[in-house]
Every structure is written in C-alpha cells, then in structure tokens.
Amino acid sequence: MGTVHARSLEPLPSSGPDFGGLGEEAEFVEVEPEAKQEILENKDVVVQHVHFDGLGRTKDDIIICEIGDVFKAKNLIEVMRKSHEAREKLLRLGIFRQVDVLIDTCQGDDALPNGLDVTFEVTELRRLTGSYNTMVGNNEGSMVLGLKLPNLLGRAEKVTFQFSYGTKETSYGLSFFKPRPGNFERNFSVNLYKVTGQFPWSSLRETDRGMSAEYSFLSMCGPERCLISMLQFPIWKTSHTVKWEGVWRELGCLSRTASFAVRKESGHSLKSSLSHAMVIDSRNSSILPRRGALLKVNQELAGYTGGDVSFIKEDFELQLNKQLIFDSVFSASFWGGMLVPIGDKPSSIADRFYLGGPTSIRGFSMHSIGPQSEGDYLGGEAYWAGGLHLYTPLPFRPGQGGFGELFRTHFFLNAGNLCNLNYGEGPKAHIRKLAECIRWSYGAGIVLRLGNIARLELNYCVPMGVQTGDRICDGVQFGAGIRFL
Amino acid sequence: MSLVAEAFVSQIAAAEPWPENATLYQQLKGEQILLSDNAASLAVQAFLQMCNLPIKVVCRANAEYMSPSGKVPFIHVGNQVVSELGPIVQFVKAKGHSLSDGLEEVQKAEMKAYMELVNNMLLTAELYLQWCDEATVGEVLEDVDQCCQALSQRLGTQPYFFNKQPTELDALVFGHLYTILTTQLTNDELSEKVKNYSNLLAFCRRIEQHYFEDRGKGRLS
C-alpha cells in the first residue's frame, strides 16, 4: 500500500492573499485520493502508534495532551484532519519551529491490517533567541534589546525580556508565561516592567514601575451565554483574564510651562488593583474584519489590596461587522467607560480616560477633547464614543488580487463625549451631561492593513460640535495604530 | 537664571499686581517636613509678611515634586510658580516690592555675605543633624557657634540687621533660628548654642510677635 504524506498542511485562504496567522482562516485540505486509497478512505482505520521525532527538552506530558485526539480518528480523512489540528496545537505552544506530519501504515508484529502510524517530526526552538533593534522617533533614538527563552523547563514556559535604552527614557520588561499542560488557553503569567511615557497633550511625563500577575482562561458557560443570545452572537469562546497589578507611578511635568492643574498631580503614588477582562471575538480578523463581532468588557478595582489610589473603573468596547454587496463591509463600533473614585481623594490624571485623535474621534487632535486647563488636557471620568464605517475596495480596484487588497476606502462618522461626573447626582443627570455638547466628525480616507496587527489611515476629516478648549485637526489626518474607533 | 530669562520673567511679573490668592506650598507639617525645609519655608513666609504681601500656606504631601526646581517652598502667584528664597526675592522685586532698596551698595554686599554665611553654616548644620547625627557633630556645632557669634555681633542692639527696616537677611536668619529653637531633635546641643546669644533670641521673638501674631495670623505655620 502506498504511503500518504501529509506534510505541512498550510491553511489555504478562501479568497485573495490573506496575511493572517496560522489558524485564522484555516481550511481543510482535500487530498486527491489515488485508486487504491479510494478504498482506504471509506474503510475504518485505527491509529495504533503516534511517534515523535526530535524532542529534546520538551517533556512528554504536554505533548500527550495535545495529540490525544488523533487516536480517536475512525477513517483516513479524520486521521488527516485530527493530525492537522494536533499540528496546529503543537505550533500554538510556541516551542517548535517546525512540525511535519507523516501518516503511514503500521509495520511490525502487532500491526493490524487497517492500522496506521502517525509520526510528528518536530524541530524545537533554540533555548535562547535574541534580537537587537534601533528605533528613531520624535527627536529620540533608542536601542531595543530583546531576549526570549522559549520552553524554559520543558512545558512550554516562556521567559521574555526586553530592554530599551534611549536618549530620553529607558524602559524594560521581563515576563514569565506558563500555560497549563493540556489546556493552553489556561495560562498564567507574571510581568515586571518599567515604562516611561511622555504625553505632550497634557504636558505630563509618567514613569511606571510595576509588576503584575495574570491568569487567563476560556469559558463557554454561565452569564456569557445569556449575553451571547441577547446580542445574537454566534456561539464563540469567551476569554477571561484576571489580573493583579501593583504599580509605582511617578508623574511629572513635561515642561516649565505645564499648567498648575497638572503640576498638582506631580509626585509618586502607588496603585494596587485587581482587574477582570472578558473578550468575546467572533470576527474573522482583528484588522479590517469582514464579519463577526467583538465585545470587550474590562473592570478594575484599585485600593483594596493596598496602594494609595482607590477607584473602580469600567470600560467596554463593542464592534459589529457585516458584509454588504460589492465586497464592501459596514462596521459599527461603540466604546464607553466610567471611573468612580472611592473615598475623598479625587481621581488621578493617570487613571482618567482621554478622547480624540486619529485612532478615536477623527478630526480632533490626539487626546484633545474635554476638560482642560491652560491648554493641558486633563482627561475625564466618563466617556462614550461611537463610529459608523463603510469600507469598500479602492475605486477601479487597482492591484486587484495583489497589493491592492491591502487597501480599503473608508467612509466614517464618529461621535463621542468626555466629561467629569459629579457622582452625587443620579444616573439621569449623568446621561444628560454626556448627551450634551457631543463632538462628532465625518469624512473619508484610505486604510492600509499592516500584517495582522496594525493599520494605517489617511483621512480627510470634518470635525463638528467642537467645544471651546478642544483642539481640532481638520483636513487631512494620518493615523497609525492597532485599536481604532 | 540667565540674564535673558531674568529680563523676561521681570517683564511678565511686573505687569500684574500681587493677587489676593497667592499661595505658598510646603510639605506636611509634623510628619513630613524636614528641618532645613521648614527653615526655608519660614524664611519665605517671614519675608512676604515683612513686605506686607498676603500669602496663604498650603501643605501638600507632593510639594517637592510640584516645585519646578524640586525644592520647597514655592509660591504660586497668578499663573507663575517660583521656588526658593533667592528667586522669590527677585520675583517680588520685579513686582515693585523690595526690602533692601533703601540700602547702599556696600550694605547690600554685606547683606549678601551674611546670607551666604547663614546658608553655609546654619543650613549645613541642619542638614547634617537631620541626616547624620554622628561623632563629628562637635565640628558642626563649632561652625554654628561661629555663625551665631557673627550674626549676634552684627545685630548688636539694633532691632534688625540693617537699621530699623527688616530685609531679606532678617527673614532668612529668623527662619533658620526659629526652626532650630522650636523643633524637637534628638540632640538639643544645636538649640543650646543659639540660646547662648540673648540678642538673637530677642530678635526671633520680636519678629514672631510683630509679623505673625500681631497680624492676626495666629500661630506660626
């Protein structure tokens, strides 16, 4: 009998070049059966052995968990499908550079006539990989050194270290990640970091030194199911992350001319918070999705585990996408959040929300909406923002099937509001306050997709509803980022 | 400050009169403020009182981070922020108030010299005491004694260091001496040294009574 080589089953995209990662639009590959294998296809088979070649420091137990399903296959097509899925799971562990699958009939004394052997040929990643980059940005240059130790102790633990040394700031981050053997979605990670940021719209400089511990898992039961059916989401897994974070924050003025309101916030503070984030994502891609929806809900409670900042913060993001005729996509998104300080101390500028910019309400300058003092934007304790978009392929479709597929024409309508709430008043007063003086804008532009992570936009925007104090950027606006309204 | 910056600041400052809501920021009393910072803050308060300019004192835990130079005290006047006695004296002068205008050049130089003496000796002693407190404290006390002797001699029987009008030197000396006399330390030798000079004691009491209690400010902050 002939052997079936099922090597490197790459997922084939359904239409056009797709720059997605593995598993994004995974399509099962049909192999043309030869004459003899036609019989095999319908015949019952039994997977007798699964071999692994090339394991070094990887421990057996995590491998066994990932490939358990292969043994349950009943016929050849199922064997191929299950091996393909096992291969995807092994690659997802992040410990192998390459995984090849070989399916062969069973040889040997205990071989059954319909027995099959599946062999996974793997190449482990090296113990230590490093990278070195230099970055040049706004009047600043920096060297970035990255170190990664995958599969540290044999069970897909990963340690990453990144160090950035710049002319203005230095930052670093160390993170340890451990998945649960057999259940990769349940994972635990500990991070240590120092990050500095400069925010010219507030004349503020912030240095955060902190550590965090988080635990992620998937769930399909409980309140999400009710939520899912209410919003008519297709059934999809919900990802939860529970995190404790302790941060030593140092705020300072960016220049001598910072406003006094920002000067009053200078100094050190300690934030210790517990947070929970829930993500339901049924989109086919995170950048320029064609269909599906996203719901992210995040809540954070600070002050009850120590520290001198005390608040409860709620934040959500909703996005719905629908494909229309002529390859165009209609997308609606809605963001909102609220920060309630607990106790007498007012909220800190580092915890408040900001609005405006090429990635949020287009047509306004970066984070330049809402309460401000002498030109420095102080952020607000409650906000909402919404956007309606129509994405179409470029007119006359240049470069169709190739480079042109990365671009989209984009028509948008954005609206939102940001303000501080007086929590002594009731919810009706809050809604009224958020509904008056709404800022909004409309326009059109071009979107370029960068891999599966980021996008660039060049838009012509017309801002409306501008209040005194807001800074606008009407006309052409350029934006780059990963999260857009 | 560079000459250009000085000229610029004076232009801006001179334009506006002294507002009613001028504020002075220092650290929290009692649990946070250090000996030397307390002395500096008192000196500025005394100076502003002597100039007859109203000032409100606010204590904040992050005062030293709010300050543009990192030092306390600093004053927030209109939308200007100025820290430390030297620049504050300049700033106030640009607004048209000055205590040392009536002095001759020679006296001004002398005043500056005494202010440096106080800064070098008394301030160093305070810093030493709050951070070190070791065996070489003998030398530090020697310096303090010498400084107090010089000040006592210069003061003599006059009410203030330069004739009958107080100057910034009086404010600075008062700030330091009052802090030394009234703060409880592990080591009382420093205040003992100052108490040896009765005219300095009388000087402190006089300024306290005249500029702080009599003005209805109540007890010194």
Side-chain angles (χ1 to χ4, degrees), chain A residues 26 77 85 133 181 190 193 221 224 241 290 298 331 365 379 397:
Chain A
I77 298 296
E85 281 168 11
N133 305 317
V190 175
Y193 58 88
C221 53
E224 301 86 56
T241 305
R290 283 223 185 76
N298 190 21
S331 172
S365 287
R397 298 194 178 233

Side-chain angles (χ1 to χ4, degrees), chain A residues 207-275:
Chain A
T207 303
D208 284 352
R209 294 171 182 86
M211 59 188 288
S212 71
E214 59 188 75
Y215 180 69
S216 297
F217 56 94
L218 292 186
S219 90
M220 270 291 288
C221 53
E224 301 86 56
R225 215 174 238 167
C226 313
L227 191 68
I228 290 169
S229 53
M230 253 168 39
L231 294 171
Q232 283 156 15
F233 274 51
I235 297 294
W236 206 257
K237 288 186 182 168
T238 315
S239 138
H240 295 262
T241 305
V242 176
K243 179 164 89 162
W244 170 82
E245 186 174 22
V247 188
W248 161 25
R249 285 195 299 221
E250 192 183 331
L251 296 170
C253 297
L254 202 56
S255 71
R256 196 82 175 56
T257 51
S259 69
F260 201 70
V262 169
R263 207 172 262 289
K264 277 209 273 207
E265 306 253 13
S266 313
H268 300 259
S269 70
L270 198 63
K271 178 181 92 156
S272 163
S273 69
L274 291 169
S275 67

Side-chain angles (χ1 to χ4, degrees), chain A residues 175-372:
Chain A
S175 120
F176 171 76
F177 169 83
K178 177 170 169 57
R180 188 164 157 169
N183 201 345
F184 190 75
E185 280 91 11
R186 282 193 194 212
N187 52 60
F188 173 73
S189 73
V190 175
N191 305 301
L192 221 63
Y193 58 88
K194 176 196 168 203
V195 161
T196 43
Q198 296 195 345
F199 310 115
W201 48 82
S202 304
S203 297
L204 186 74
R205 174 195 291 127
E206 181 176 342
T207 303
D208 284 352
R209 294 171 182 86
M211 59 188 288
S212 71
E214 59 188 75
Y215 180 69
S216 297
F217 56 94
L218 292 186
S219 90
M220 270 291 288
C221 53
E224 301 86 56
R225 215 174 238 167
C226 313
L227 191 68
I228 290 169
S229 53
M230 253 168 39
L231 294 171
Q232 283 156 15
F233 274 51
I235 297 294
W236 206 257
K237 288 186 182 168
T238 315
S239 138
H240 295 262
T241 305
V242 176
K243 179 164 89 162
W244 170 82
E245 186 174 22
V247 188
W248 161 25
R249 285 195 299 221
E250 192 183 331
L251 296 170
C253 297
L254 202 56
S255 71
R256 196 82 175 56
T257 51
S259 69
F260 201 70
V262 169
R263 207 172 262 289
K264 277 209 273 207
E265 306 253 13
S266 313
H268 300 259
S269 70
L270 198 63
K271 178 181 92 156
S272 163
S273 69
L274 291 169
S275 67
H276 167 251
M278 172 179 98
V279 179
I280 309 178
D281 191 354
S282 68
R283 302 173 302 175
N284 65 319
S285 161
S286 44
I287 302 292
L288 295 178
R290 283 223 185 76
R291 60 183 177 279
L294 168 74
L295 174 67
K296 267 194 210 175
V297 181
N298 190 21
Q299 41 267 347
E300 187 177 355
L301 173 69
Y304 285 88
T305 44
D308 47 36
V309 200
S310 204
F311 59 79
I312 183 162
K313 190 171 177 183
E314 192 72 43
D315 201 348
F316 71 89
E317 188 179 325
L318 177 67
Q319 189 189 83
L320 301 165
N321 302 287
K322 186 156 175 60
Q323 191 152 14
L324 303 174
I325 48 167
F326 302 133
D327 209 11
S328 54
V329 176
F330 177 74
S331 172
S333 56
F334 189 64
W335 294 356
M338 193 150 115
L339 171 72
V340 185
I342 301 175
D344 308 322
K345 275 172 78 170
S347 56
S348 165
I349 196 172
D351 296 318
R352 291 196 279 260
F353 299 104
Y354 293 85
L355 195 63
T359 58
S360 113
I361 302 189
R362 298 165 179 82
F364 290 82
S365 287
M366 188 72 171
H367 291 173
S368 301
I369 287 178
Q372 54 98 19

Side-chain angles (χ1 to χ4, degrees), chain B residues 178-189:
Chain B
Y178 189 84
T179 307
I180 291 171
L181 289 169
T182 56
T183 312
Q184 277 193 326
L185 294 169
T186 52
N187 194 338
D188 274 337
E189 291 186 35

Side-chain angles (χ1 to χ4, degrees), chain A residues 91-232:
Chain A
L91 283 170
R92 185 189 54 174
L93 286 176
I95 57 182
F96 298 125
R97 187 184 309 149
Q98 201 180 354
V99 177
D100 293 332
V101 182
L102 228 73
I103 305 180
D104 197 356
T105 49
C106 218
Q107 318 287 349
D109 299 336
D110 61 338
L112 296 172
N114 61 348
L116 290 182
D117 268 358
V118 180
T119 308
F120 289 91
E121 285 170 6
V122 302
T123 326
E124 281 180 347
L125 288 172
R126 277 187 300 204
R127 271 189 195 272
L128 175 70
T129 49
S131 68
Y132 174 79
N133 305 317
T134 37
M135 294 201 308
V136 179
N138 294 331
N139 294 333
E140 176 184 5
S142 56
M143 294 181 347
V144 183
L145 173 74
L147 290 175
K148 194 158 81 155
L149 289 92
N151 202 12
L152 190 68
L153 302 167
R155 289 190 172 85
E157 301 91 354
K158 188 165 67 167
V159 171
T160 40
F161 177 66
Q162 191 176 53
F163 180 75
S164 158
Y165 181 76
T167 48
K168 282 189 194 162
E169 317 279 3
T170 304
S171 60
Y172 55 79
L174 175 71
S175 120
F176 171 76
F177 169 83
K178 177 170 169 57
R180 188 164 157 169
N183 201 345
F184 190 75
E185 280 91 11
R186 282 193 194 212
N187 52 60
F188 173 73
S189 73
V190 175
N191 305 301
L192 221 63
Y193 58 88
K194 176 196 168 203
V195 161
T196 43
Q198 296 195 345
F199 310 115
W201 48 82
S202 304
S203 297
L204 186 74
R205 174 195 291 127
E206 181 176 342
T207 303
D208 284 352
R209 294 171 182 86
M211 59 188 288
S212 71
E214 59 188 75
Y215 180 69
S216 297
F217 56 94
L218 292 186
S219 90
M220 270 291 288
C221 53
E224 301 86 56
R225 215 174 238 167
C226 313
L227 191 68
I228 290 169
S229 53
M230 253 168 39
L231 294 171
Q232 283 156 15

Side-chain angles (χ1 to χ4, degrees), chain A residues 57-85:
Chain A
R57 61 184 188 275
T58 314
K59 300 276 182 289
D60 292 345
D61 49 7
I62 59 159
I63 303 290
I64 292 171
C65 301
E66 304 294 338
I67 52 109
D69 269 355
V70 176
F71 286 103
K72 298 187 189 144
K74 293 280 184 299
N75 59 49
L76 181 65
I77 298 296
E78 259 189 50
V79 170
M80 288 165 61
R81 186 186 298 133
K82 297 259 186 244
S83 318
H84 176 68
E85 281 168 11

